[in-house]
Amino acid sequence: MQTIDTDFLVIGSGVAGLRAAIELARHGRVTVVTKDIPTESSTEYAQGGVAVVLSDEDEVGIHFEDTIKAGDGLCKEEAVRVLVEEGPARILELIEWGAEFDKEGTKLSFTMEAAHSRRRILHAHGDSTGRELERVLINKVRTFKNIQRLQFCTAIDLIVEDERCLGAYALKDGDIIAVHAKATLLATGGAGQVFSRTTNPAVATGDGMAIAFRARAILEDMEFVQFHPTVLFAPAAPQFLLSEAMRGEGAILRNIFKEPFMKNYHSDAELAPRDVVSRAIISEMVRTNSSHVYLDLTHKDAEFVKKRFPRIYSTCLQYDLNITKDLIPVSPAAHYMMGGVKTDLDGATNIAGLYAAGEVACTGVHGANRLASNSLLEGLVYGYRAGVAAAEFRVQSSELRVKKDLKVLNSKPMTLNSHGFDLEEVRTSLRRLMWEKVGIIRCGVSLNEAMERLSEWKHILEMDFNTRRRLELKNMLTVACMITEAALERKGSVGAHYRSDFKERGENWQRHIRVRKTEKGLKVS
Ligand code: FAD
Ligand code: SIN
C-alpha cells in the first residue's frame, strides 16, 4: 500500500477545508484530499450569500438573537457567540485576499433573507457567492508550497490506534493509499444525497459523518435536516435552488390557483423561518392536490431581476422559464444537515487528533434550524479555529506512531450484483425511502417503516468496497440509519424536525440526541 506522510490531513475542499488548510500551512505540511475536482462542493453552488455584521445598521447582538431564534431553543449559545463575533474578521480577511462582494457605489451591498431582522447578507456576482469564496480560497491555498492537493481521492476510513486518529485510508486511481498525519480534519460537507430530492451536489453523500461513526466518534442532532422551500420543479430540469434571497427581494409564493398563501401560515409570510415555509408549501400542495407551488418575481423590474440573479435567470431560461415573466414551479428539497460530528468550539471531536469543521460538524451553532446564510460563515470561522487547534495539538502531542496499517481492505471490486443486490437499485430505493418516510413531515409509523427497510440492507455496512460510488452507498446507508434512529428518538416537534404524531415539543425537548457506534451496533442516547 502506498503511504503518504504529512503533518495535517484535510479531507474536503469546500469553504471549511480550504480555510483550515490555509491556517495549517503556517505550521507544517498539509495534504488536502478531495474526491472530485477541487471546486465540486456545496460551497461552489451557494447562492444567497454569507451573513455577517458589517453594516452600520446592524449589530453582532442582533445577529446572535436571530440565530438563536431560528435555532428554536437548541443552539449552543457559546458557539453562536463565536460565530457572530469572529465572522466579521474572517470576511474582511477574505476581502483582503481578493473576494469581490457586490457593492452599491463604494459600500458593500447587503440583502435580506428569511428570519434575519436586518439586511446583512453579503453576496457576490448576484447569486454566485459560494463560487467566489471557492475561487479566492483556492487561489490562496495555491500560494502555499507546503499544501499538497490530491483530487479524485476519496477518504475511506480513519486510521485510529489507541484512541488517537493518525490519518486516513483513501482511494486514488483504484488503489488504496494510507495518509499518515499528526492531525486530521474532516471537512466533507453534508449529506443531502441521502434524500431523492435535494439541492446538494453529487459529492454530498455524508461520507465524513459515516467515516467518523465507524471510528466511534460521537454524532449529535442528526434528526435535524433542513429542507429548502424553493427548489425548481420542472420535468426536465435539475433540482436547482431558487435562492431565499429572491423572497428577500420581494418574490411571492402562490399556490397552483395563483393565490398567495404564506400570510395564512405565518405573520412574516414569505420571510418566515425555512421550516415553516417548507411545511406551508407541503400543506398547500396537499390542499390543492398539486406537485408544486409557484415562486413569483414577475412584479419586479426585469432588469433588476436579471442583474440581481444572473445565474438563476440564465439557468431557468435553459428550461424555458423566463423568471422575469413566468411563474416558477417550485417545491421543497433536502438542503442542509444541522447535525453531524460533535465538536467543541475548536473543532475537536471525542477522538484525539480528529477535528471536524463545516457542514459535517455539529458545533451546536444552528440548533434545530439553521438561519439562512450562516453556513458559509460557519465554514470560515470554524475552519479557521479547527486549523489553529489542530496545529496546537500537533505541537503538544508525541511523535506519530502508526504501528502498522492494520486494516486490510478488500482489494476485489464488488460486482454490480454482489450479494444478490443491485447496489444501484439500493441507492435509488434508499433515497426515495428517506424522502418519503423521513422527510419534511415524519411520524412513528413512517420512521419505523424506514428503519425496517434500512435493516434489510444492513449487510452492506459490513462490506469493503473499492469504488467511490459503492463507498458512498455504504456511507449514505449509515447516515440514513443515524437520521432515522435520532428522528424516532425525538418524540416531539422542534425546528426542522416535525412529527405529525407529536406536534408539540414534548418532554425533555432541550436535550441533544447523540448517536455512536458500539459493540452492539448503533446506540442513541
Ligand atoms: P462542502 O462545501 O460541501 O465541501 C465538502 C468537500 O468534501 C467537497 O470538496 C467534497 O468533494 C469533499 N468530500 C466529501 N466526501 C469526501 C471523501 N470521502 N473524500 C474526500 N473528499 C470528500 N450556505 C450559506 O451560508 N449561504 C448560501 O447562500 C448557501 N447556498 C447554498 C446553495 C446550495 C445549492 C447548497 C447545496 C448549499 C447552500 N448553502 C449555503 C450551504 C453551504 O453551501 C454549505 O453548508 C457549505 O458550503 C458547506 O461547506 P463545507 O466546506 O462544510 O462542505
Ligand atoms: C439560499 O440562497 O437560499 C441558500 C441560503 C442558505 O442555504 O443559507
Side-chain angles (χ1 to χ4, degrees), residues 5-6 22 29 33 41 70 81 113-114 123 141 157 197 211 229 246 261 299 309 337 349 397 405 413 420 430:
D5 278 308
T6 188
I22 291 165
R29 293 163 303 156
V33 302
S41 59
R81 214 177 302 283
E113 281 184 336
H123 43 92
V141 160
D157 266 317
R197 204 164 152 70
I211 286 171
M246 295 172 85
F261 58 85
H299 52 288
F309 302 109
M337 288 293 297
T349 70
S397 62
D405 281 313
L430 166 74

Side-chain angles (χ1 to χ4, degrees), residues 11-17 33-51 113 129 134 153-156 187-190 199-201 203-205 207-208 211 241 243 335-336 357-360 370 372-377 379 475:
I11 307 174
S13 58
V15 59
V33 302
T34 193
K35 73 175 171 181
D36 209 286
I37 56 168
T39 50
E40 193 56 16
S41 59
S42 289
T43 302
E44 175 74 7
Y45 298 100
Q47 293 180 358
V50 50
E113 281 184 336
T129 313
E134 275 287 311
C153 183
T154 305
I156 304 170
T188 47
T199 61
N200 287 193
V203 290
T205 48
D207 295 5
I211 286 171
L241 182 79
S243 176
H335 183 59
Y336 183 85
E359 195 170 335
V360 68
R370 176 179 63 98
S373 288
N374 260 355
S375 45
L376 292 176
L377 192 69
N475 293 333

Side-chain angles (χ1 to χ4, degrees), residues 226-278:
Q226 182 170 76
F227 296 89
H228 198 290
T230 54
V231 180
L232 190 57
F233 187 90
Q239 295 171 6
F240 178 68
L241 182 79
L242 294 158
S243 176
E244 197 154 290
M246 295 172 85
R247 277 174 284 133
E249 298 290 357
I252 297 165
L253 282 164
R254 298 182 184 277
N255 63 24
I256 47 155
F257 304 117
K258 307 196 177 153
E259 300 156 342
F261 58 85
M262 271 315 300
K263 275 264 184 266
N264 305 336
Y265 292 89
H266 197 281
S267 55
D268 290 338
E270 273 72 10
L271 292 183
R274 235 170 233 188
D275 60 314
V276 175
V277 182
S278 288

Side-chain angles (χ1 to χ4, degrees), residues 98-383:
E100 289 177 13
F101 291 108
D102 296 335
K103 289 189 174 161
E104 276 160 32
T106 54
K107 287 192 161 178
L108 288 167
S109 162
F110 298 91
T111 192
M112 189 73 172
E113 281 184 336
H116 286 273
S117 55
R118 293 285 188 278
R119 288 182 79 90
R120 68 163 68 93
I121 322 293
L122 280 182
H123 43 92
H125 312 292
D127 50 8
S128 289
T129 313
R131 185 174 287 176
E132 179 65 2
L133 259 62
E134 275 287 311
R135 182 188 72 78
V136 171
L137 291 169
I138 286 181
N139 281 346
K140 185 74 184 169
V141 160
R142 284 198 185 118
T143 64
F144 291 93
K145 291 208 167 53
N146 55 337
I147 301 183
Q148 176 190 28
R149 288 170 291 134
L150 296 178
Q151 59 178 0
F152 295 109
C153 183
T154 305
I156 304 170
D157 266 317
L158 296 169
I159 304 171
V160 180
E161 279 180 17
D162 304 326
E163 294 177 18
R164 180 174 159 192
C165 180
L166 297 169
Y169 299 104
L171 190 67
K172 173 101 181 107
D173 304 327
D175 291 325
I176 291 162
I177 58 174
V179 186
H180 294 172
K182 287 159 187 148
T184 300
L185 176 86
L186 285 170
T188 47
Q193 286 295 327
V194 166
F195 296 87
S196 56
R197 204 164 152 70
T198 181
T199 61
N200 287 193
V203 290
T205 48
D207 295 5
M209 294 171 193
I211 286 171
F213 174 80
R214 288 194 288 274
R216 312 249 165 153
I218 298 169
L219 290 99
E220 196 163 80
D221 291 348
M222 292 297 285
E223 70 276 30
F224 296 119
V225 180
Q226 182 170 76
F227 296 89
H228 198 290
T230 54
V231 180
L232 190 57
F233 187 90
Q239 295 171 6
F240 178 68
L241 182 79
L242 294 158
S243 176
E244 197 154 290
M246 295 172 85
R247 277 174 284 133
E249 298 290 357
I252 297 165
L253 282 164
R254 298 182 184 277
N255 63 24
I256 47 155
F257 304 117
K258 307 196 177 153
E259 300 156 342
F261 58 85
M262 271 315 300
K263 275 264 184 266
N264 305 336
Y265 292 89
H266 197 281
S267 55
D268 290 338
E270 273 72 10
L271 292 183
R274 235 170 233 188
D275 60 314
V276 175
V277 182
S278 288
R279 283 196 296 277
I281 291 175
I282 293 291
S283 175
E284 210 63 14
M285 280 161 49
V286 170
R287 201 178 67 76
T288 58
N289 194 21
S290 63
S291 55
H292 59 274
V293 296
Y294 292 113
L295 190 67
D296 178 8
L297 210 60
T298 56
H299 52 288
K300 301 290 286 189
D301 175 67
E303 287 315 306
F304 166 78
V305 171
K306 285 187 212 170
K307 188 159 178 260
R308 180 66 187 80
F309 302 109
R311 195 168 173 187
I312 296 173
Y313 172 76
S314 62
T315 304
C316 288
L317 215 49
Q318 287 173 30
Y319 299 95
D320 270 345
L321 283 166
N322 181 339
I323 65 169
T324 68
K325 294 189 182 135
D326 302 322
L327 298 186
I328 319 164
V330 294
S331 78
H335 183 59
Y336 183 85
M337 288 293 297
M338 268 74 75
V341 183
K342 181 178 168 6
T343 69
D344 67 9
L345 298 180
D346 294 318
T349 70
N350 59 306
I351 298 174
L354 179 65
Y355 294 78
E359 195 170 335
V360 68
C362 180
T363 55
V365 115
H366 307 300
N369 196 13
R370 176 179 63 98
L371 183 68
S373 288
N374 260 355
S375 45
L376 292 176
L377 192 69
E378 184 195 23
L380 291 169
V381 168
Y382 283 95

Side-chain angles (χ1 to χ4, degrees), residues 291-496:
S291 55
H292 59 274
V293 296
Y294 292 113
L295 190 67
D296 178 8
L297 210 60
T298 56
H299 52 288
K300 301 290 286 189
D301 175 67
E303 287 315 306
F304 166 78
V305 171
K306 285 187 212 170
K307 188 159 178 260
R308 180 66 187 80
F309 302 109
R311 195 168 173 187
I312 296 173
Y313 172 76
S314 62
T315 304
C316 288
L317 215 49
Q318 287 173 30
Y319 299 95
D320 270 345
L321 283 166
N322 181 339
I323 65 169
T324 68
K325 294 189 182 135
D326 302 322
L327 298 186
I328 319 164
V330 294
S331 78
H335 183 59
Y336 183 85
M337 288 293 297
M338 268 74 75
V341 183
K342 181 178 168 6
T343 69
D344 67 9
L345 298 180
D346 294 318
T349 70
N350 59 306
I351 298 174
L354 179 65
Y355 294 78
E359 195 170 335
V360 68
C362 180
T363 55
V365 115
H366 307 300
N369 196 13
R370 176 179 63 98
L371 183 68
S373 288
N374 260 355
S375 45
L376 292 176
L377 192 69
E378 184 195 23
L380 291 169
V381 168
Y382 283 95
Y384 163 80
R385 288 180 75 93
V388 171
E392 179 69 12
F393 172 84
R394 182 206 143 198
V395 170
Q396 287 173 2
S397 62
S398 56
E399 264 314 282
L400 191 64
R401 292 165 294 155
V402 177
K403 291 177 196 129
K404 58 182 165 151
D405 281 313
L406 297 171
K407 193 161 173 151
V408 181
L409 293 149
N410 193 337
S411 58
K412 278 196 208 130
M414 307 301 290
T415 60
L416 196 61
N417 287 307
S418 42
H419 294 250
F421 278 92
D422 179 333
L423 295 176
E424 284 302 314
E425 202 178 299
V426 174
R427 189 180 178 118
T428 305
S429 304
L430 166 74
R431 300 181 69 222
R432 269 197 208 139
L433 179 78
M434 291 301 286
W435 179 249
E436 284 164 13
K437 309 285 183 192
V438 197
I440 300 172
I441 298 175
R442 308 146 171 193
C443 68
V445 174
S446 73
L447 293 168
N448 278 312
E449 278 172 17
M451 222 40 246
E452 220 168 279
R453 195 75 211 284
L454 291 171
S455 32
E456 287 171 21
W457 298 318
K458 264 194 173 154
H459 64 278
I460 291 174
L461 301 177
E462 307 309 319
M463 292 183 184
D464 287 332
F465 294 115
N466 66 357
T467 69
R468 166 176 152 185
R469 197 141 171 100
R470 303 291 150 75
L471 288 164
E472 286 176 346
L473 173 63
K474 178 171 162 175
N475 293 333
M476 287 160 72
L477 183 55
T478 306
V479 172
C481 291
M482 289 194 271
I483 295 172
T484 310
E485 289 282 16
L488 264 169
E489 179 74 8
R490 185 171 289 282
K491 294 179 180 56
S493 295
V494 187

